[in-house]
Amino acid sequence: MTTIQYINTPDQLAKLCEQIKKESWLALDTEFLREKTYYPKFCLLQIATPEWVACIDPIALPSLDILFEVLYSPSIVKVFHSCRQDLEIFYQLTGKLPEPIFDTQIAAPLLGFQENPGYAMLVSSLLNVNLNKAHTRADWSKRPLIEAEIQYAADDVIYLCKIYQMMLQKLAELGRGDWLERDFAELSNPDLYEVKPEKSWLKIKGKNKLTGKQLSIVQTLAEWRENTAQSEDRPKSWLLRDEMLFDLAKLQPETVSELANVRGINERTANRYGAELCDLIMAAKNRAPIPLNEKGRPVKKTQQQEAVLDILTALVRIRAEENALNPVILATRKDLEELLFNDGNECPLLHGWRFNMAGMELVGLLKGELLLGIQSDKLAIIENKCLN
């Protein structure tokens, strides 16, 4: 069994950094807490290669600057599973993002796995190992960590090393080694990790059912909630839950006493923020909301729309068969509806390997630049030569 290095002094960290400089890739994972804060509290960083494994204690160490300096080297591939939260911590601490990245969750569908598979499922399927879940809910901020907790944390990157090597080999055998470059490059886009308070309302579901005044209030309160949660480092749901934003938008209290009588508003919130919230509500209902600009799917699709979706589905099935993929991995009916009705950049078919495999042609079909026809008794994608 590989000895786990527990790094909690500057001298140990400096020696580890010298080890890291020799590597071409590293498996990484983090342990953090977020139940009582807005920003994740960084508690442990695990790093492994096939030869060694280390658990680094950011709580004990005065600085991680020398570590990040070597980790961010473009000559070292950083391997994660579902890396968005890990990278959010890195970005929060350094204001930068490491690259290049390899994410096993993103790579898995190209090897026949379902979309967004869990780490335990990959370990079980590829390594025939059932992960120990005994410390899933451990308090990683307490010290000292017990030996079993350290082993539990280290196991994640030990197995991640093995999965990465297996995936690289299989991707190479299938000729898909470079398919994921754009997907992985997108993970180092700072826009993914910067929360803009003025746009926080966009993530709230049900906003399209509000009147103009109500929408303006929800937009204003959502921005206030995000700013306040950030400045106080508290979960935003502790301030106002989404359903409370809607209640306030509909009831529109004008005084603290009226606000305090709204069901679900606790006394602390009313006393501390009541006057400010009432002022925000009064101002918001007297100005026009930011337009939704949501095209949205029709409640009931027409036969023509269903037929178009069938044609798009046919193209997906052709390209999936050519690449030995389950068509659902390439695109679901919901993905195709997103492409057809919303024209949004959020559609997965407009990004990464899916865009290269099918998305570009799907867009061409919708624009009339391509046609779906029959050649030699088979469906084929044909250039529309009649298009001027």
Side-chain angles (χ1 to χ4, degrees):
M1 182 179 291
T2 305
T3 300
I4 301 170
Q5 304 175 58
Y6 191 80
I7 309 298
N8 60 358
T9 70
D11 286 345
Q12 291 173 326
L13 184 63
K15 291 178 182 177
L16 178 67
C17 289
E18 292 304 313
Q19 277 184 277
I20 291 173
K21 289 177 183 178
K22 302 173 185 177
E23 306 296 341
S24 60
W25 63 270
L26 302 165
L28 299 101
D29 189 29
T30 64
E31 304 295 346
F32 58 89
L33 295 179
R34 202 172 197 165
E35 289 83 358
K36 299 179 181 180
T37 59
Y38 180 90
Y39 297 102
K41 183 177 181 180
F42 190 19
C43 299
L44 199 68
L45 172 62
Q46 305 97 277
I47 303 178
T49 70
E51 287 75 39
W52 56 265
V53 59
C55 290
I56 301 156
D57 188 344
I59 295 175
L61 288 161
S63 172
L64 296 177
D65 289 350
I66 61 169
L67 174 64
F68 284 119
E69 185 177 344
V70 293
L71 281 184
Y72 281 40
S73 168
S75 65
I76 301 175
V77 176
K78 276 67 71 170
V79 182
F80 296 88
H81 179 85
S82 186
C83 70
R84 290 281 291 270
Q85 289 186 311
D86 303 304
L87 294 184
E88 180 185 353
I89 292 173
F90 287 14
Y91 188 67
Q92 175 192 336
L93 292 173
T94 68
K96 299 184 294 183
L97 289 160
E99 52 184 347
I101 300 291
F102 186 102
D103 191 316
T104 55
Q105 187 177 70
I106 292 175
L110 287 183
L111 301 173
F113 291 95
Q114 66 187 44
E115 189 77 4
N116 299 322
Y119 182 62
M121 189 274 278
L122 281 185
V123 172
S124 176
S125 299
L126 292 173
L127 304 177
N128 197 28
V129 172
N130 293 320
L131 288 176
N132 178 3
K133 298 181 180 180
H135 301 286
T136 302
R137 302 296 297 173
D139 181 354
W140 295 102
S141 66
K142 71 176 179 61
R143 294 295 183 271
L145 295 172
I146 63 173
E147 184 178 343
E149 289 172 331
I150 296 171
Q151 184 65 59
Y152 170 90
D155 281 346
D156 280 349
V157 283
I158 290 171
Y159 295 129
L160 187 57
C161 283
K162 298 176 182 180
I163 289 174
Y164 171 63
Q165 292 172 300
M166 293 175 71
M167 282 189 166
L168 275 189
Q169 182 178 344
K170 290 184 178 184
L171 287 169
E173 290 171 356
L174 292 169
R176 300 174 183 175
D178 59 352
W179 282 19
L180 295 163
E181 288 181 359
R182 288 179 63 181
D183 299 76
F184 293 155
E186 286 183 12
L187 293 170
S188 295
N189 179 359
D191 290 342
L192 294 177
Y193 310 96
E194 290 181 354
V195 179
K196 295 180 172 61
E198 68 275 12
K199 294 185 177 182
S200 60
W201 65 274
L202 291 168
K203 297 182 179 180
I204 298 175
K205 296 180 180 179
K207 56 187 177 293
N208 57 322
K209 298 178 182 179
L210 298 172
T211 66
K213 286 185 178 181
Q214 292 170 351
L215 178 59
S216 180
I217 292 170
V218 165
Q219 291 169 341
T220 299
L221 295 182
E223 181 176 355
W224 170 87
R225 180 179 66 174
E226 204 76 37
N227 276 318
T228 305
Q230 289 179 357
S231 64
E232 297 183 4
D233 194 19
R234 300 172 64 207
K236 60 185 182 182
S237 63
W238 285 19
L239 296 167
L240 293 172
R241 295 185 179 276
D242 283 359
E243 55 267 28
M244 183 56 61
L245 297 182
F246 283 80
D247 288 344
L248 292 175
K250 292 171 183 177
L251 295 172
Q252 300 174 18
E254 296 183 0
T255 65
V256 175
S257 60
E258 288 179 1
L259 184 138
N261 287 328
V262 175
R263 185 177 179 181
I265 292 285
N266 59 52
E267 185 178 353
R268 180 183 181 277
T269 299
N271 290 338
R272 184 168 183 180
Y273 308 111
E276 183 179 7
L277 290 172
C278 289
D279 288 344
L280 289 170
I281 291 168
M282 289 288 289
K285 71 180 184 179
N286 290 315
R287 63 171 173 263
I290 301 168
L292 281 172
N293 290 329
E294 287 188 346
K295 187 176 179 182
R297 299 179 184 84
V299 175
K300 185 177 181 180
K301 293 181 283 293
T302 66
Q303 289 300 314
Q304 282 287 332
Q305 290 167 336
E306 291 285 8
V308 171
L309 286 169
D310 289 340
I311 291 173
L312 299 181
T313 300
L315 187 149
V316 168
R317 295 184 68 173
I318 291 170
R319 293 299 178 237
E321 182 182 26
E322 289 174 352
N323 290 281
L325 286 177
N326 185 325
V328 176
I329 295 299
L330 179 53
T332 64
R333 188 83 168 186
K334 184 178 178 182
D335 294 332
L336 296 174
E337 289 180 10
E338 179 75 21
L339 186 67
L340 177 60
F341 296 121
N342 285 348
D343 301 323
N345 202 39
E346 299 298 317
C347 180
L349 284 160
L350 297 178
H351 302 275
W353 66 270
R354 288 179 175 85
F355 180 72
N356 293 331
M357 186 181 291
M360 190 184 304
E361 290 179 320
L362 289 167
V363 172
L365 272 179
L366 291 174
K367 290 181 176 180
E369 297 168 352
L370 300 174
L371 302 172
L372 194 63
I374 298 176
Q375 291 181 339
S376 303
D377 297 326
K378 292 184 178 180
L379 281 174
I381 291 89
I382 307 166
E383 183 180 354
N384 185 0
K385 295 183 180 179
C386 297
L387 193 68
N388 292 328

